[in-house]
């Protein structure tokens, strides 16, 4: 009896090695981007959704602050931007960041 064929999404590249604090920084930063994308008036659907996202943004920003404070307290003074950028790309950071920007102008 033939096995059913399953289509799996392409395998993502592995996350680069990060300290726990760096991983938290990336996660909290992307969370802030997600909320900014939901608030973005150039892409919003309604004010209530933007209001809820703005409320969540306050919590997300505090988490980002705490992640940076933890890194600093642990002596992690240097940010390895290239490594963190790779991690954010694996976590769909480019798409998430694009929601916080202006959409292209509409064709007339």
């Amino acid at each position: 009896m033939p096995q059913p064929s399953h289509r799996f999404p392409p395998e993502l590249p592995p996350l680069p090695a990060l300290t726990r604090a760096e991983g938290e920084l990336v996660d909290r930063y992307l969370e802030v981007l997600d909320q900014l994308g939901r608030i973005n008036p150039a892409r919003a659907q309604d004010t209530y959704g933007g209001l809820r996202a703005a409320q969540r943004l306050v919590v997300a920003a505090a988490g980002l602050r705490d992640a940076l404070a933890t890194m600093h307290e642990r002596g992690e003074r240097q940010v390895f931007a290239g490594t963190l950028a790779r991690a954010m790309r694996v976590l769909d950071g480019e798409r998430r960041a694009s929601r916080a920007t202006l959409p292209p102008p509409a064709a007339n």
Side-chain angles (χ1 to χ4, degrees):
M1 180 173 206
Q3 294 289 327
S5 65
H6 296 303
R7 287 195 168 159
F8 295 103
E11 192 168 317
L12 294 173
L15 279 171
L18 303 174
T19 66
R20 181 170 291 172
E22 286 173 327
E24 188 71 14
L25 171 63
V26 167
D27 288 344
R28 298 297 68 84
Y29 179 77
L30 292 174
E31 186 178 353
V32 165
L33 278 178
D34 289 339
Q35 299 314 316
L36 285 172
R38 288 181 180 101
I39 295 166
N40 186 347
R43 296 180 184 272
Q45 300 286 320
D46 58 66
T47 56
Y48 184 72
L51 172 62
R52 296 292 308 215
Q55 292 166 336
R56 288 188 302 267
L57 177 61
V58 174
V59 174
L64 179 57
R65 178 206 57 217
D66 293 347
L68 286 162
T70 298
M71 287 180 70
H72 187 75
E73 289 164 5
R74 290 183 181 174
E76 296 181 45
R77 303 283 193 256
Q78 190 173 2
V79 174
F80 298 96
T83 301
L84 297 177
R86 280 197 323 272
M88 287 189 285
R89 282 188 181 94
V90 170
L91 297 170
D92 204 19
E94 289 175 316
R95 180 192 60 80
R96 294 162 83 175
S98 72
R99 294 183 61 210
T101 64
L102 287 173
N108 292 334

